[in-house]
Structures are given as C-alpha cells and as structure tokens.
Amino acid sequence: MRPSLLLSQLLPLAWLQLASAGSQSPKRGLVFTPNDDWPEDNKLWAAEGSGLTWYYNFGWNATAAYSTTPQDKFEFVPMMWGAGTENGTDTYFLGNITTTMEKDKRNITHVLSFSHPEQNFTNGGSEMKPVVAARAWINNAIPLQKMGVKVGLPIVGDPYSWVDPFLKNCSALLAKEKGEDKDSRCTFDFMPITSYGNFSVLKSRVDLFANAFPDIPVWVVEYGYNDQDLATTQKFFNESLPYLDSTDIVERYAWFGAFRSIVSNVGPNGAMLDPYGDLTDIGSWYLGGNGTGNEALPTDTPGNSSCTAANPCGKNAGTTLRSDVDLLFSDFLLLFAAPFFRVN
Ligand SMILES: *[C@@H]1O[C@H](CO)[C@@H](O)[C@H](O)[C@H]1NC(C)=O
Ligand SMILES: *[C@@H]1O[C@H](CO)[C@@H](O)[C@H](O)[C@H]1NC(C)=O
Ligand SMILES: *[C@@H]1O[C@H](CO)[C@@H](O)[C@H](O)[C@H]1NC(C)=O
Ligand SMILES: *[C@@H]1O[C@H](CO)[C@@H](O)[C@H](O)[C@H]1NC(C)=O
Ligand SMILES: *[C@@H]1O[C@H](CO)[C@@H](O)[C@H](O)[C@H]1NC(C)=O
Ligand SMILES: *[C@@H]1O[C@H](CO)[C@@H](O)[C@H](O)[C@H]1NC(C)=O
Ligand SMILES: *[C@@H]1O[C@H](CO)[C@@H](O)[C@H](O)[C@H]1NC(C)=O
Ligand SMILES: *[C@@H]1O[C@H](CO)[C@@H](O)[C@H](O)[C@H]1NC(C)=O
Ligand SMILES: *[C@@H]1O[C@H](CO)[C@@H](O)[C@H](O)[C@H]1NC(C)=O
Ligand SMILES: *[C@@H]1O[C@H](CO)[C@@H](O)[C@H](O)[C@H]1NC(C)=O
C-alpha cells in the first residue's frame, strides 16, 4: 500500500463533502429555551449524531425531554440563577443538586451560579447585591466545590465592577466564619460569559475575561450576532465556530438560537429552526450537517396576510402557529425575570 497516494486521492473528496457541511466539536452545547408550544422540537438537540455534548436550561432541574438521557451522552449543567431568599441564606440549590447526584445518580460535574446579578429583575437579571450573592455562594457553591463540582463565576457584563466587591465580600465572610487560614478565599472554576455583537465583540469579550483571570477557562454560554440580515448572520456564525474551537481558553460554547425563527427575540436569522420546526442552514451546520436551505422567513410565514395562524398555508398547512413574534421574550421575562422567592 502507498498511504501517501491514498491520502492524496481521498483529500479532494473529503474536502468536497465538508465544503457545505458544518463540523462538530466536544465544546459545543445547547442553551435550552423553554418550549411549551412545540415540544417535538426538543428531541432534535439530543438526537443521536447531533454532536451537542452539553446543555443548560437556566434552572437546577434537568429538562423533562432529556431526563432519561445520561450525562455522558448529553451533559446537564444546572444553574442556580438567583438566591431562594432575599438575604441569600437558603440552600435550595445545594439540596437539589445533592439529591440529583445521590438519589437520581446523575453525575453533576459542573454548575452555573447566578445569572446577571448586576442587573435588575426588569432587565432579566437576578438583581443580587454582592454581599447577598456572597452569602448564597458560601451556602451553596462552596459545599459543591468540596464535593468536586466545578462552579462558574456569576454571569456578568464585565469581570470587575460587580465581581470585585462580590469576591471581597465572599472571602471576608468566609474568613470570619472559618478563621484566618489561607484557604478562606472564595474561588471559581470557570467563567461563563455571553456575547451579542459582531466577531470583534465576541473576541474582545473572551479576551476581557481571560485577561482579568488568566488560566481560568471561559464558557461562552450564550452568543450570537442579533438582528442582522441572513448573510451577515451566517458570515459571523461561520467565523465564530473555528475561533471558538481553536481558542484553548474557551472550554465550551452555546449558540443562542434553539427555537423557531418566528418566536426569536434576537432577530429571525440566528434561529436554528424555521417557522415549521425544520433546521435552518445555521441550525444544521451547528449540528454538523449540510445546509438545508430552509428559510427563517419564507414567503408563507405568518405576517404574510394570506397565511395566518388561524389559516396556515404552504408547508405549514394543517398546523397551528402562534402569531405574536415577541413570545419568546415574554416567556423569558415571566420565567426568569421574576425573583425566585416571589414565584414560589
Ligand atoms: C458558511 O459556511 C457554509 C459551509 O459550512 C457555506 O456553505 C456557506 O457558504 C458559508 N457562508 C458564508 C456567508 O460564509
Ligand atoms: C424535575 O424534573 C422532572 C422531569 O424532568 C420532574 O418530573 C420533576 O417533578 C422535577 N422536580 C421538581 C422538584 O420540580
Ligand atoms: C433570611 O431570610 C429568611 C427568609 O426570608 C429568614 O427566615 C432568615 O431568618 C433570614 N436570615 C438572616 C440571617 O437574616
Ligand atoms: C429544591 O428546589 C425547590 C424549588 O424548586 C425547593 O422548594 C426545594 O426545597 C428544594 N429541595 C431541597 C432538597 O432543597
Ligand atoms: C463523573 O464524571 C466525571 C467526568 O466525566 C468522571 O471523571 C467521574 O468518574 C464520574 N463519576 C462517577 C461517580 O461516575
Ligand atoms: C432596571 O435597570 C434599568 C437599566 O439600568 C433601568 O433603566 C430601570 O429603570 C431599572 N428598573 C427598575 C424597576 O429598577
Ligand atoms: C461588602 O462589600 C461592601 C462594598 O465593598 C462593603 O461596604 C461591605 O462592608 C462588605 N460587607 C461585608 C460583610 O464584607
Ligand atoms: C463591531 O461592533 C462594534 C460594537 O458595535 C463596533 O464598534 C465595531 O466597529 C464593529 N466592528 C466591525 C468590524 O464591524
Ligand atoms: C453532506 O452532503 C454530501 C454531498 O451530498 C454528502 O456526501 C454528505 O453525507 C452530507 N453530510 C451530511 C452530514 O449529511
Ligand atoms: C404569501 O403566501 C402565499 C402562499 O404561500 C404566496 O403565494 C405569496 O407569494 C406570499 N406573499 C408574500 C408577500 O410573501
């Protein structure tokens, strides 16, 4: 056999096959958004061969559609989101994660902590003062770290303004309780960040955090180039994957778009599903497949007065669509902007 000849014969073919297909990556995951209207869409992301390795859903409990999927097939990463009480003294998160690990035998290795504590509830943040977050961290995150679970820094806009007082408050409280030994310091294991904007914005957000805390892995848990035309969105998408895959400090990432284009709150073109629940080009590429040509806004989309939710036409005939395009956003506000302790 002459391997070099074999290789040169195979390469052009391999290149042709990859030319219009996406790639897969062990870093790639799913930011799961609640989906009561089309639960059939949920299965897609965890299907055999989807290539996605992990997901989170903004809460501590696994998504029902994946509740029987083992961690090594599709890893669930719980999120605390906010504290269960106004003063942060509760341990509901620790309690539930411990139960999940011990009773449900789900091998949790990573958890996300608070989601935008520096922003108020109206803005969709978890509105936590650094000192309250510090209390909640000591009660929930530190015991998990002692069990070997890696805990992410709260998701924040920048690594300084809220993070500095949070870490100082946390270490001060800890030192007061545990004495002055040198281990009395709050530490975190990875940095989840979000990015909405062009490719420079994405790179500079990764660099901002990587420079603030060198050697701590970055997870881009939500990203996209929102509200752009299709060509701009696809160009950004195509640039982002090789960058995220090849940048060592980036340990994981998740494209924000696991929903139908008609309920997108980031513009239709970043959505991974068209109005009928079929993969768009970006959706298919994200899962490692070929482009589909399915349009985010085909001509028979609701909004076209001859095709309505009440009178669907085209490919959609015979199904029911929700007609208001802002629903995803209002679902988010309802679910996540309301403080946890007031919901319960
Ligand atoms: C994006 O990449 C796909 C292949 O993965 C290719 O078919 C498409 O033309 C690219 N689009 C742009 C705008 O770069
Ligand atoms: C957690 O989710 C499962 C479905 O995945 C559900 O059966 C269970 O009731 C949920 N637990 C709580 C406490 O909400
Ligand atoms: C924190 O708040 C909870 C519930 O609101 C209350 O029961 C508890 O006593 C408070 N703890 C402290 C230390 O203030
Ligand atoms: C789990 O979380 C729920 C809220 O979702 C809370 O009511 C319950 O007390 C928690 N369980 C434990 C064991 O802490
Ligand atoms: C949990 O998963 C981690 C990472 O995959 C692995 O190293 C560890 O052995 C697993 N633990 C158990 C109890 O299965
Ligand atoms: C929430 O924050 C935004 C932006 O900082 C501000 O404009 C708004 O007034 C705040 N809302 C409340 C209810 O505090
Ligand atoms: C928390 O930090 C704030 C601002 O840096 C400071 O004023 C306060 O004294 C700190 N509280 C504790 C308990 O360390
Ligand atoms: C990327 O976006 C930033 C922020 O909006 C802007 O300042 C910059 O000019 C943009 N860069 C390119 C290459 O378009
Ligand atoms: C993509 O298309 C090529 C050429 O038609 C085909 O050989 C390949 O199997 C397809 N890949 C996937 C993942 O469907
Ligand atoms: C509306 O949908 C109908 C039926 O699919 C199609 O024939 C027509 O071209 C569409 N009109 C527009 C303005 O997109």
Side-chain angles (χ1 to χ4, degrees):
M1 290 293 282
R2 293 174 59 193
S4 59
L5 180 67
L6 198 62
L7 198 64
S8 64
Q9 284 171 332
L10 283 174
L11 270 178
L13 182 63
W15 183 83
L16 269 180
Q17 284 180 346
L18 288 173
S20 61
S23 58
Q24 293 187 335
S25 161
K27 299 182 182 186
R28 198 172 299 168
L30 168 71
V31 38
F32 177 84
T33 42
N35 176 358
D36 293 335
D37 299 291
W38 305 292
E40 68 273 23
D41 297 351
N42 296 345
K43 294 279 180 205
L44 198 64
W45 316 113
E48 199 67 42
S50 82
L52 302 186
T53 62
W54 67 282
Y55 77 99
Y56 74 101
N57 62 13
F58 300 90
W60 63 264
N61 198 9
T63 294
Y66 317 133
S67 61
T68 58
T69 308
Q71 288 294 88
D72 60 355
K73 285 267 185 312
F74 195 41
E75 180 190 345
F76 174 54
V77 179
M79 182 192 267
M80 185 163 172
W81 197 83
T85 51
E86 240 163 312
N87 55 26
T89 57
D90 63 282
T91 56
Y92 88 90
F93 187 70
L94 173 64
N96 279 303
I97 299 306
T98 308
T99 305
T100 303
M101 292 172 78
E102 289 170 1
K103 289 220 183 72
D104 303 346
K105 305 277 179 234
R106 190 178 280 280
N107 182 10
I108 302 292
T109 54
H110 296 81
V111 299
L112 295 157
S113 62
F114 315 123
S115 181
H116 286 294
E118 85 284 20
Q119 290 189 32
N120 61 31
F121 295 132
T122 313
N123 272 7
S126 58
E127 197 175 320
M128 296 170 86
K129 289 198 190 83
V131 71
V132 170
R135 178 79 267 155
W137 182 277
I138 290 171
N139 285 11
N140 295 274
I142 291 182
L144 288 171
Q145 286 177 315
K146 287 194 172 138
M147 292 159 66
V149 175
K150 293 193 156 87
V151 185
L153 182 72
I155 300 168
V156 284
D158 76 80
Y160 306 110
S161 45
W162 185 93
V163 171
D164 277 346
F166 163 68
L167 290 176
K168 285 196 181 110
N169 276 172
C170 195
S171 295
L173 285 174
L174 197 59
K176 209 163 118 192
E177 281 162 31
K178 310 280 159 153
E180 294 299 325
D181 70 78
K182 65 174 167 37
D183 290 334
S184 298
R185 212 165 51 86
C186 297
T187 59
F188 50 92
D189 305 292
F190 61 98
M191 295 183 284
I193 67 168
T194 61
S195 177
Y196 288 98
N198 60 30
F199 189 51
S200 322
V201 169
L202 174 63
K203 282 194 296 184
S204 64
R205 290 203 45 76
V206 169
D207 289 345
L208 177 69
F209 282 80
N211 291 336
F213 297 102
D215 303 325
I216 299 200
V218 171
W219 287 23
V220 183
V221 293
E222 237 188 66
Y223 85 102
Y225 192 7
N226 53 298
D227 304 302
Q228 301 301 309
D229 62 36
L230 184 64
T232 308
T233 310
Q234 292 193 343
K235 181 168 178 287
F236 168 79
F237 178 85
N238 280 8
E239 273 181 296
S240 73
L241 294 186
Y243 161 70
L244 295 167
D245 284 334
S246 65
T247 303
D248 287 340
I249 199 73
V250 176
E251 202 170 73
R252 301 191 189 193
Y253 61 84
W255 175 263
F256 187 71
F259 37 74
R260 298 190 184 194
S261 53
I262 45 170
V263 293
S264 173
N265 64 339
V266 288
N269 292 317
M272 296 202 275
L273 298 175
D274 74 4
Y276 317 108
D278 294 323
L279 291 168
T280 57
D281 284 344
I282 283 180
S284 185
W285 293 332
Y286 195 67
L287 304 187
N290 289 326
T292 59
N294 292 328
E295 295 167 291
L297 290 177
T299 48
D300 60 351
T301 293
N304 173 343
S305 58
S306 65
C307 314
T308 63
N311 182 28
C313 58
K315 209 170 149 193
N316 186 48
T319 68
T320 311
L321 285 178
R322 284 160 76 167
S323 51
D324 45 335
V325 293
D326 285 332
L327 268 169
L328 184 70
F329 190 59
S330 47
D331 282 353
F332 257 81
L333 284 180
L334 269 180
L335 270 165
F336 303 123
F340 185 73
F341 53 88
R342 278 185 226 156
V343 170
N344 275 272

